[in-house]
């Protein structure tokens, strides 16, 4: 049942992305994301033949990564890109999440001195990134809502970029602690 819910989250994420790209004529971002997906699927299916296929969980759950990597090719299309609040918030929240993932990795590497603890924490971080689309996409949508409210309320916005960064970092660290403790 959990796998079905995870696939549903990924499907909703992908359908919203395709719909918004087609609606605002950002076909380059869509094409780049699909191309990145196909290239990474082919590479991973060669490395892990029975585990990684086009619609296996390993590759299907990484849809946010394909969207993020595909966004590198559309940054120059500012006019088309700014018309869609959803795609704008999607892009910025994706970069924010990846940035906090890097910060989380750096914190783990700096704070954990024992190799016995380092490996399980790194495994839970990779598990969160690659195997938990409900958590990853859910926190991304929460970040998108916070960013949207930040952009609409110009006078007194409590959602500053530092707050968003700390929220994302706290969510990732909380996931890792719960995963490391066996709660997830």
């Amino acid at each position: 049942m959990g796998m079905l819910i995870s696939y549903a989250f990924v499907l909703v994420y992908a359908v919203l992305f395709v719909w918004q790209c087609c609606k605002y004529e950002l076909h380059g971002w869509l094409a780049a994301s699909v191309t990145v997906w196909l290239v990474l699927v082919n590479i991973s299916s060669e490395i892990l033949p029975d585990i990684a296929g086009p619609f296996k969980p390993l590759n299907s759950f990484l849809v946010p990564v394909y969207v993020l990597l595909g966004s590198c090719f559309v940054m120059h299309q500012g006019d088309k890109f700014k018309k869609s609040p959803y795609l704008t918030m999607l892009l910025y929240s994706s970069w924010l999440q990846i940035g906090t993932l890097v910060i989380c990795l750096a914190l783990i590497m700096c704070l954990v001195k024992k190799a016995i603890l380092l490996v399980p924490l790194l495994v839970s971080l990779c598990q969160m990134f690659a195997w938990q689309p409900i958590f990853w996409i859910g926190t991304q949508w929460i970040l998108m809502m916070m960013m949207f409210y930040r952009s609409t309320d110009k006078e007194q916005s409590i959602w500053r970029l530092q707050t968003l960064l700390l929220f994302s970092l706290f969510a990732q660290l909380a996931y890792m602690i719960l995963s490391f403790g066996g709660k997830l």
Side-chain angles (χ1 to χ4, degrees), residues 75-86:
M75 297 290 248
H76 65 281
Q77 296 179 347
D79 295 338
K80 284 184 183 179
F81 186 66
K82 297 293 181 188
K83 290 179 184 176
S84 171
Y86 178 80

Side-chain angles (χ1 to χ4, degrees), residues 1-10 56-58 61 131 133-134:
M1 183 68 173
M3 190 69 78
L4 185 62
I5 294 170
S6 296
Y7 273 118
F9 257 77
V10 171
K56 298 272 184 166
L58 180 65
F61 290 171
W131 289 98
I134 295 172

Side-chain angles (χ1 to χ4, degrees), residues 31-85:
S33 297
V34 170
T35 303
V36 166
W37 172 61
L38 290 174
V39 167
L40 291 179
V41 162
N42 285 330
I43 291 171
S44 65
S45 64
E46 288 295 322
I47 294 172
L48 304 165
D50 292 332
I51 298 172
F55 298 105
K56 298 272 184 166
L58 180 65
N59 288 319
S60 297
F61 290 171
L62 291 176
V63 169
V65 175
Y66 308 138
V67 169
L68 179 68
L69 292 175
S71 73
C72 296
F73 300 103
V74 295
M75 297 290 248
H76 65 281
Q77 296 179 347
D79 295 338
K80 284 184 183 179
F81 186 66
K82 297 293 181 188
K83 290 179 184 176
S84 171

Side-chain angles (χ1 to χ4, degrees), residues 50-175:
D50 292 332
I51 298 172
F55 298 105
K56 298 272 184 166
L58 180 65
N59 288 319
S60 297
F61 290 171
L62 291 176
V63 169
V65 175
Y66 308 138
V67 169
L68 179 68
L69 292 175
S71 73
C72 296
F73 300 103
V74 295
M75 297 290 248
H76 65 281
Q77 296 179 347
D79 295 338
K80 284 184 183 179
F81 186 66
K82 297 293 181 188
K83 290 179 184 176
S84 171
Y86 178 80
L87 290 176
T88 304
M89 300 301 161
L90 180 76
L91 175 70
Y92 293 142
S93 64
S94 297
W95 284 110
L96 187 64
Q97 272 189 307
I98 294 296
T100 54
L101 187 69
V102 170
I103 291 170
C104 203
L105 262 172
L107 282 173
I108 289 172
M109 296 298 225
C110 291
L111 295 176
V112 177
K113 301 294 184 196
K114 297 184 182 199
I116 296 171
L117 292 175
L118 185 63
V119 173
L121 285 172
L122 292 176
V123 166
S124 70
L125 190 66
C126 292
Q127 177 188 7
M128 173 191 64
F129 182 65
W131 289 98
Q132 296 297 327
I134 295 172
F135 176 79
W136 191 260
I137 294 171
T139 54
Q140 186 173 14
W141 282 339
I142 291 171
L143 279 171
M144 288 171 65
M145 285 189 302
M146 292 166 74
M147 292 173 93
F148 179 74
Y149 288 130
R150 179 182 180 268
S151 67
T152 57
D153 185 19
K154 298 289 183 189
E155 295 173 6
Q156 285 192 338
S157 179
I158 60 170
W159 307 116
R160 288 186 249 149
L161 289 177
Q162 295 91 342
T163 310
L164 297 172
L165 183 72
L166 285 174
F167 168 77
S168 184
L169 185 61
F170 175 74
Q172 290 178 9
L173 286 173
Y175 177 87

